[in-house]
Amino acid sequence: MTGEIAGGAPGKLRIDKWLWQARFFKTRSLAAKTVGAGRCRVNGTPVAKPAFCVAPGDVLTFPQARDVRVIRVEALGDRRGPAPEARALYTDMAPPETKDDSMIAVPRFDRGGRPTKRDRRMMEKSFPDALE
């Protein structure tokens, strides 16, 4: 098995530390929290311990904001360096899709200022299920 619990094996690094060094999470504790909640997979196997070790060639799947990231580990970092250095640590297997404007439109009041009670009732009639 590629990853073992942190035993100091050469060529391996803790998953929480690697995610932090590759700049997927702002702090190492946030990375550990995500892995500890069981939301991360290594080579398709769920991982629930932040001390799980990853090596180059492993494929990580984890949530980030509203996207699911699929990343292949290319190298292990020595430090948390600048963004170009961090991008060299991984290959994005599924780049995030561009957001389209087909999201559900939220009704807006166009007259400026706060809508009156009468205006709100008219908006509710025109968009009956938008407020539910």
Side-chain angles (χ1 to χ4, degrees):
M1 187 163 147
T2 303
E4 297 293 327
I5 299 300
K12 295 182 182 179
L13 189 65
R14 287 175 56 119
I15 189 169
D16 63 336
K17 192 170 184 179
W18 188 88
L19 288 169
W20 172 70
Q21 285 180 352
R23 293 185 166 267
F24 288 109
F25 294 95
K26 191 171 185 175
T27 64
R28 188 170 165 189
S29 62
L30 286 175
K33 211 178 280 187
T34 301
V35 175
R39 296 188 201 128
C40 190
R41 293 177 178 260
V42 177
N43 298 325
T45 306
V47 175
K49 295 193 177 190
F52 191 87
C53 291
V54 294
D58 287 346
V59 176
L60 306 179
T61 307
F62 58 93
Q64 184 182 30
R66 293 180 182 219
D67 298 327
V68 174
R69 303 294 300 263
V70 180
I71 304 296
R72 183 175 54 233
V73 178
E74 296 296 333
L76 303 176
D78 295 331
R79 65 187 183 107
R80 185 171 198 246
E85 186 178 312
R87 277 192 290 275
L89 299 178
Y90 64 89
T91 301
D92 199 352
M93 305 289 283
E97 300 173 2
T98 58
K99 305 218 188 247
D100 56 345
D101 294 333
S102 66
M103 307 259 318
I104 298 173
V106 178
R108 300 279 183 218
F109 183 68
D110 295 331
R111 292 191 204 150
R114 185 173 178 185
T116 63
K117 190 172 188 177
R118 180 175 177 257
D119 294 331
R120 284 197 313 269
R121 287 184 180 154
M122 289 175 59
M123 284 191 329
E124 287 175 7
K125 286 180 184 176
S126 62
F127 299 102
D129 56 342
L131 299 176
E132 294 175 359

